[in-house]
Amino acid sequence: MAAADASAERAALATLTIDLAAIAANYRMLAARAAPAECAGVVKADAYGLGVLQVAPALWQAGCRTFFAATLAEGVALRGLLPDAIIYVLAGLHGADPADFVAAGLRPLLVSRGEVDRWLAAAGDKIDARAGLHVDTGMARLGMPPDELDALISEGRQLKRLHPSLVMSHFACADTPGHPLNREQPQRFRDALARLALQRDVKRSLAASSGIFLGPDHAFDLVRPGAALYGIAPLVDQPNPLRQVVRLQAKILQVRRVDAGSTVGYGATHRFARQARLATVGVGYADGFMRALSNRGGAYIGDRRATIVGRVSMDLLTIDISDIPEEEAHPGSWVDVIGPHNPVDTVAAEAGTIGYEILTSLGRRYHRRYLDAGAAAAR
Ligand SMILES: Cc1ncc(COP(=O)(O)O)c(C=O)c1O
């Protein structure tokens, strides 16, 4: 570790370790599972909070060639990192200037006839300007609704001029294999594709992370995982086949003994039934460690769990270390707030949310350490 990095780590209250080799391994596993479909990478929201600057090149090195950003700004930043990648923008044109997409070689996923018109007016005759088409098959969020799709198809000329490079739709319930929408959406997608009568070079895409695990019929030509790349379990209540990517270690700042009957933290929400030993740890809700984990979550010291007692505050939380030997929990020692025993999905369940929200909430104050996939350095 470089001297500056070591000193930044010493000065931080918590260290976030992001394993780029695990992201690369997850990419290869998902790609093998989806083959012969192509496996793209979704790197929106700063690669789900993990750092697009490091994650995107690591995915490129792992063999990923098609990427999805959420917005024009994210796409432009990604283009700066990956000059040769195919980059789609999930939010469509979202009121931005089509010329800006063309200039950066980005492909908007057009969501309406209005967007198709605007794109064709601005980019229709440019040889290297390509766009995708997002059709809605049941998510009812983004994408062309059935009546607009019918109009586009019956009018014909616009569609021919557009010649999309990708037609995509998005599953609503893919993490729950038994849900009826997992049968209905592929059927609606096939119907839409048949009516669009696409040329052979147009790619078709329906599945994100969870859809890859629904079976080979759902992969079409291209899959678009995000969460699974970053270690989030693709299916509810099933073992997670992916490698963990994130470890969050926070420093113990102070240790104290408290008497039976005393309380801890804002609102005095936890009262000790016996004498206890407490550790104050340097992570709080300003770092994205949610206040909902007050009196619920836990941290690990080695393989021993210490429960969070009292409320999580802005920069700090407190854990009960009464059962942990003093030499293992003292000021300056580290605890796993997210780690091998309490992975992202577990922390999310304890907080009453999903792993996606835990990752994308991860704070900016952590010392970030990237375990190398040969592509990136610590920032
Ligand atoms: C349209 C679309 N495709 C793909 C993804 C990636 O999904 P996941 O992170 O579940 O793999 C998302 C994420 O929200 C999305 O909105």
Side-chain angles (χ1 to χ4, degrees):
M1 196 189 296
D5 202 34
S7 116
E9 179 159 14
R10 270 200 307 279
L13 301 191
T15 294
L16 180 68
T17 304
I18 294 155
D19 187 344
L20 297 174
I23 294 177
N26 288 341
Y27 174 79
R28 287 191 289 267
M29 189 271 226
L30 295 165
R33 197 165 174 121
E38 179 186 349
C39 187
V42 179
V43 293
K44 62 191 168 120
D46 198 27
Y48 288 45
L50 303 187
V52 73
L53 195 63
Q54 291 80 9
V55 169
L59 284 170
W60 176 268
Q61 275 205 346
C64 184
R65 294 294 175 264
T66 301
F67 290 77
F68 289 81
T71 63
L72 172 64
E74 286 186 357
V76 169
L78 190 55
R79 175 57 76 215
L81 298 170
L82 301 176
D84 299 322
I86 294 174
I87 302 175
Y88 286 99
V89 175
L90 286 164
L93 290 179
H94 57 281
D97 186 343
D100 292 337
F101 288 84
V102 178
L106 305 174
R107 303 182 181 187
L109 283 153
L110 306 172
V111 301
S112 64
R113 282 194 82 194
E115 285 204 350
V116 171
D117 289 342
R118 283 184 53 224
W119 177 256
L120 288 177
D125 301 324
K126 297 196 166 57
I127 302 271
D128 54 353
R130 300 299 303 269
L133 192 61
H134 186 162
V135 301
D136 180 34
T137 55
M139 179 74 172
R141 186 180 63 167
L142 275 182
M144 204 171 273
D147 57 331
E148 285 197 37
L149 190 66
D150 288 344
L152 183 75
I153 290 165
S154 57
E155 203 262 345
R157 205 172 54 88
Q158 250 190 331
L159 185 57
K160 201 155 179 240
R161 268 188 83 203
L162 177 64
H163 181 36
S165 54
L166 175 75
V167 175
M168 64 153 275
S169 192
H170 193 49
F171 274 119
C173 305
D175 63 350
T176 312
H179 198 287
L181 271 176
N182 294 328
R183 288 192 306 280
E184 290 161 23
Q185 285 192 266
Q187 198 46 55
R188 289 176 200 155
F189 190 49
R190 281 198 187 86
D191 290 348
L193 292 168
R195 286 186 302 127
L196 281 162
L198 301 162
Q199 295 183 30
R200 297 191 86 167
D201 61 341
V202 182
K203 295 204 169 185
R204 305 158 306 151
S205 176
L206 179 58
S209 296
S210 305
I212 296 172
F213 293 82
L214 288 178
D217 288 355
H218 299 72
F220 292 89
D221 302 316
L222 181 137
V223 295
R224 316 180 306 271
L229 294 171
Y230 312 120
I232 291 178
L235 300 179
V236 169
D237 297 332
Q238 297 204 23
N240 186 352
L242 296 151
R243 270 176 61 178
Q244 285 306 304
V245 168
V246 167
R247 183 173 189 184
L248 177 58
Q249 294 161 289
K251 209 182 276 175
I252 295 182
L253 305 180
Q254 197 172 14
V255 167
R256 76 186 64 246
R257 284 185 192 284
V258 290
D259 292 330
S262 57
T263 61
V264 57
Y266 284 124
T269 58
H270 181 85
R271 185 177 296 279
F272 293 93
R274 55 170 187 162
Q275 197 188 57
R277 219 156 51 84
L278 297 186
T280 302
V281 172
V283 63
Y285 61 74
D287 303 300
F289 200 78
M290 295 177 179
R291 193 165 174 274
L293 289 158
S294 302
N295 289 309
R296 300 187 63 171
Y300 278 80
I301 297 166
D303 54 8
R304 294 174 214 261
R305 181 178 164 93
T307 54
I308 294 174
V309 283
R311 284 194 184 144
V312 174
S313 55
M314 190 180 292
D315 320 305
L316 303 167
L317 56 81
T318 39
I319 53 176
D320 187 336
I321 53 165
S322 304
D323 299 328
I324 294 175
E326 281 183 33
E327 60 279 11
E328 289 176 29
H330 52 80
S333 62
W334 295 87
V335 307
D336 277 323
V337 187
I338 299 173
H341 300 293
N342 49 347
V344 174
D345 289 311
T346 304
V347 174
E350 286 170 347
T353 181
I354 53 174
Y356 297 65
E357 195 179 14
I358 298 289
L359 289 188
T360 55
S361 302
L362 287 169
R364 298 280 124 200
R365 295 193 294 192
Y366 300 133
H367 172 69
R368 288 187 172 220
R369 212 155 56 92
Y370 287 89
L371 300 186
D372 206 9
R379 73 173 178 194

mmCIF file of all heavy atoms in Angstrom, residues 42 44 48 90 134 141 168 170 208-209 224-227 356, ligand 1:
data_model
loop_
_atom_site.group_PDB
_atom_site.id
_atom_site.type_symbol
_atom_site.label_atom_id
_atom_site.label_comp_id
_atom_site.label_asym_id
_atom_site.label_seq_id
_atom_site.Cartn_x
_atom_site.Cartn_y
_atom_site.Cartn_z
ATOM 1 N N VAL A 42 -24.519 -3.525 -16.376
ATOM 2 C CA VAL A 42 -25.239 -2.307 -15.999
ATOM 3 C C VAL A 42 -24.398 -1.579 -14.942
ATOM 4 O O VAL A 42 -24.107 -2.141 -13.881
ATOM 5 C CB VAL A 42 -26.654 -2.647 -15.472
ATOM 6 C CG1 VAL A 42 -27.385 -1.379 -15.058
ATOM 7 C CG2 VAL A 42 -27.441 -3.379 -16.554
ATOM 8 N N LYS A 44 -24.991 1.820 -14.038
ATOM 9 C CA LYS A 44 -25.624 3.092 -13.663
ATOM 10 C C LYS A 44 -25.368 3.388 -12.182
ATOM 11 O O LYS A 44 -24.932 2.498 -11.436
ATOM 12 C CB LYS A 44 -27.120 3.042 -13.966
ATOM 13 C CG LYS A 44 -27.912 1.997 -13.215
ATOM 14 C CD LYS A 44 -29.305 1.865 -13.802
ATOM 15 C CE LYS A 44 -30.013 0.648 -13.272
ATOM 16 N NZ LYS A 44 -31.243 0.939 -12.577
ATOM 17 N N TYR A 48 -23.609 1.078 -9.186
ATOM 18 C CA TYR A 48 -24.357 0.735 -7.965
ATOM 19 C C TYR A 48 -23.589 1.184 -6.711
ATOM 20 O O TYR A 48 -23.544 0.487 -5.690
ATOM 21 C CB TYR A 48 -24.646 -0.769 -7.908
ATOM 22 C CG TYR A 48 -25.694 -1.247 -8.906
ATOM 23 C CD1 TYR A 48 -25.682 -0.828 -10.218
ATOM 24 C CD2 TYR A 48 -26.700 -2.140 -8.526
ATOM 25 C CE1 TYR A 48 -26.627 -1.266 -11.139
ATOM 26 C CE2 TYR A 48 -27.656 -2.592 -9.439
ATOM 27 C CZ TYR A 48 -27.601 -2.134 -10.743
ATOM 28 O OH TYR A 48 -28.537 -2.576 -11.648
ATOM 29 N N LEU A 90 -30.450 4.073 -20.417
ATOM 30 C CA LEU A 90 -31.742 3.465 -20.074
ATOM 31 C C LEU A 90 -32.885 4.473 -19.986
ATOM 32 O O LEU A 90 -34.030 4.122 -20.235
ATOM 33 C CB LEU A 90 -31.622 2.728 -18.732
ATOM 34 C CG LEU A 90 -30.845 1.408 -18.775
ATOM 35 C CD1 LEU A 90 -30.446 0.986 -17.367
ATOM 36 C CD2 LEU A 90 -31.662 0.313 -19.450
ATOM 37 N N HIS A 134 -37.282 0.643 -26.260
ATOM 38 C CA HIS A 134 -37.716 -0.003 -25.018
ATOM 39 C C HIS A 134 -39.229 -0.201 -25.111
ATOM 40 O O HIS A 134 -39.974 0.770 -25.248
ATOM 41 C CB HIS A 134 -37.345 0.916 -23.851
ATOM 42 C CG HIS A 134 -37.589 0.337 -22.503
ATOM 43 N ND1 HIS A 134 -37.008 0.847 -21.362
ATOM 44 C CD2 HIS A 134 -38.348 -0.697 -22.080
ATOM 45 C CE1 HIS A 134 -37.406 0.163 -20.307
ATOM 46 N NE2 HIS A 134 -38.230 -0.783 -20.717
ATOM 47 N N ARG A 141 -43.423 1.167 -16.371
ATOM 48 C CA ARG A 141 -42.549 2.205 -15.793
ATOM 49 C C ARG A 141 -41.968 3.017 -16.952
ATOM 50 O O ARG A 141 -42.442 4.084 -17.257
ATOM 51 C CB ARG A 141 -41.458 1.515 -14.957
ATOM 52 C CG ARG A 141 -40.565 2.446 -14.192
ATOM 53 C CD ARG A 141 -39.506 1.719 -13.389
ATOM 54 N NE ARG A 141 -38.573 0.972 -14.212
ATOM 55 C CZ ARG A 141 -37.426 0.456 -13.788
ATOM 56 N NH1 ARG A 141 -37.081 0.581 -12.522
ATOM 57 N NH2 ARG A 141 -36.630 -0.201 -14.598
ATOM 58 N N MET A 168 -35.620 -3.874 -26.251
ATOM 59 C CA MET A 168 -35.584 -4.440 -24.896
ATOM 60 C C MET A 168 -36.882 -4.201 -24.132
ATOM 61 O O MET A 168 -37.677 -3.318 -24.452
ATOM 62 C CB MET A 168 -34.418 -3.855 -24.097
ATOM 63 C CG MET A 168 -34.496 -2.375 -23.849
ATOM 64 S SD MET A 168 -33.622 -1.875 -22.337
ATOM 65 C CE MET A 168 -34.878 -2.147 -21.107
ATOM 66 N N HIS A 170 -38.344 -5.110 -19.743
ATOM 67 C CA HIS A 170 -37.788 -5.337 -18.401
ATOM 68 C C HIS A 170 -38.779 -6.125 -17.547
ATOM 69 O O HIS A 170 -39.954 -5.788 -17.476
ATOM 70 C CB HIS A 170 -37.502 -3.973 -17.769
ATOM 71 C CG HIS A 170 -36.660 -4.037 -16.528
ATOM 72 N ND1 HIS A 170 -35.477 -4.745 -16.443
ATOM 73 C CD2 HIS A 170 -36.820 -3.454 -15.306
ATOM 74 C CE1 HIS A 170 -34.949 -4.604 -15.239
ATOM 75 N NE2 HIS A 170 -35.750 -3.833 -14.531
ATOM 76 N N ALA A 208 -32.544 -9.063 -16.780
ATOM 77 C CA ALA A 208 -31.474 -8.463 -15.978
ATOM 78 C C ALA A 208 -30.942 -9.594 -15.073
ATOM 79 O O ALA A 208 -31.072 -10.776 -15.423
ATOM 80 C CB ALA A 208 -32.007 -7.270 -15.210
ATOM 81 N N SER A 209 -30.371 -9.258 -13.922
ATOM 82 C CA SER A 209 -29.736 -10.301 -13.085
ATOM 83 C C SER A 209 -30.649 -11.492 -12.825
ATOM 84 O O SER A 209 -30.300 -12.645 -13.102
ATOM 85 C CB SER A 209 -29.341 -9.727 -11.720
ATOM 86 O OG SER A 209 -28.366 -8.746 -11.861
ATOM 87 N N ARG A 224 -28.778 -8.221 -19.231
ATOM 88 C CA ARG A 224 -28.308 -6.927 -18.708
ATOM 89 C C ARG A 224 -28.199 -6.968 -17.181
ATOM 90 O O ARG A 224 -28.951 -6.289 -16.478
ATOM 91 C CB ARG A 224 -29.292 -5.802 -19.065
ATOM 92 C CG ARG A 224 -29.824 -5.783 -20.470
ATOM 93 C CD ARG A 224 -30.786 -4.613 -20.652
ATOM 94 N NE ARG A 224 -31.873 -4.553 -19.703
ATOM 95 C CZ ARG A 224 -33.063 -5.150 -19.857
ATOM 96 N NH1 ARG A 224 -33.334 -5.869 -20.942
ATOM 97 N NH2 ARG A 224 -33.985 -5.026 -18.924
ATOM 98 N N PRO A 225 -27.277 -7.751 -16.627
ATOM 99 C CA PRO A 225 -27.190 -7.780 -15.166
ATOM 100 C C PRO A 225 -26.506 -6.551 -14.597
ATOM 101 O O PRO A 225 -25.578 -6.011 -15.193
ATOM 102 C CB PRO A 225 -26.331 -9.021 -14.886
ATOM 103 C CG PRO A 225 -25.449 -9.139 -16.086
ATOM 104 C CD PRO A 225 -26.285 -8.650 -17.250
ATOM 105 N N GLY A 226 -26.984 -6.124 -13.454
ATOM 106 C CA GLY A 226 -26.305 -5.121 -12.641
ATOM 107 C C GLY A 226 -26.021 -5.749 -11.282
ATOM 108 O O GLY A 226 -24.906 -6.188 -10.995
ATOM 109 N N ALA A 227 -27.081 -5.875 -10.473
ATOM 110 C CA ALA A 227 -26.937 -6.300 -9.076
ATOM 111 C C ALA A 227 -26.097 -7.567 -8.892
ATOM 112 O O ALA A 227 -25.258 -7.641 -7.989
ATOM 113 C CB ALA A 227 -28.331 -6.518 -8.485
ATOM 114 N N TYR A 356 -29.730 -3.542 -3.222
ATOM 115 C CA TYR A 356 -29.512 -2.435 -4.160
ATOM 116 C C TYR A 356 -29.422 -1.104 -3.415
ATOM 117 O O TYR A 356 -28.615 -0.239 -3.730
ATOM 118 C CB TYR A 356 -30.681 -2.312 -5.147
ATOM 119 C CG TYR A 356 -30.936 -3.465 -6.074
ATOM 120 C CD1 TYR A 356 -31.329 -4.708 -5.607
ATOM 121 C CD2 TYR A 356 -30.841 -3.294 -7.446
ATOM 122 C CE1 TYR A 356 -31.604 -5.749 -6.483
ATOM 123 C CE2 TYR A 356 -31.110 -4.333 -8.331
ATOM 124 C CZ TYR A 356 -31.501 -5.559 -7.840
ATOM 125 O OH TYR A 356 -31.780 -6.582 -8.693
HETATM 126 C C1 LIG B 1 -34.078 -1.511 -17.511
HETATM 127 C C2 LIG B 1 -33.082 -2.147 -16.596
HETATM 128 N N1 LIG B 1 -32.314 -3.141 -17.060
HETATM 129 C C3 LIG B 1 -31.410 -3.752 -16.258
HETATM 130 C C4 LIG B 1 -31.262 -3.383 -14.937
HETATM 131 C C5 LIG B 1 -30.317 -4.136 -14.044
HETATM 132 O O1 LIG B 1 -31.075 -4.841 -13.086
HETATM 133 P P1 LIG B 1 -30.405 -5.740 -11.973
HETATM 134 O O2 LIG B 1 -29.581 -4.807 -11.149
HETATM 135 O O3 LIG B 1 -31.541 -6.314 -11.218
HETATM 136 O O4 LIG B 1 -29.577 -6.751 -12.675
HETATM 137 C C6 LIG B 1 -32.044 -2.361 -14.415
HETATM 138 C C7 LIG B 1 -31.879 -1.963 -13.013
HETATM 139 O O5 LIG B 1 -32.663 -1.417 -12.337
HETATM 140 C C8 LIG B 1 -32.982 -1.717 -15.270
HETATM 141 O O6 LIG B 1 -33.746 -0.726 -14.814
#
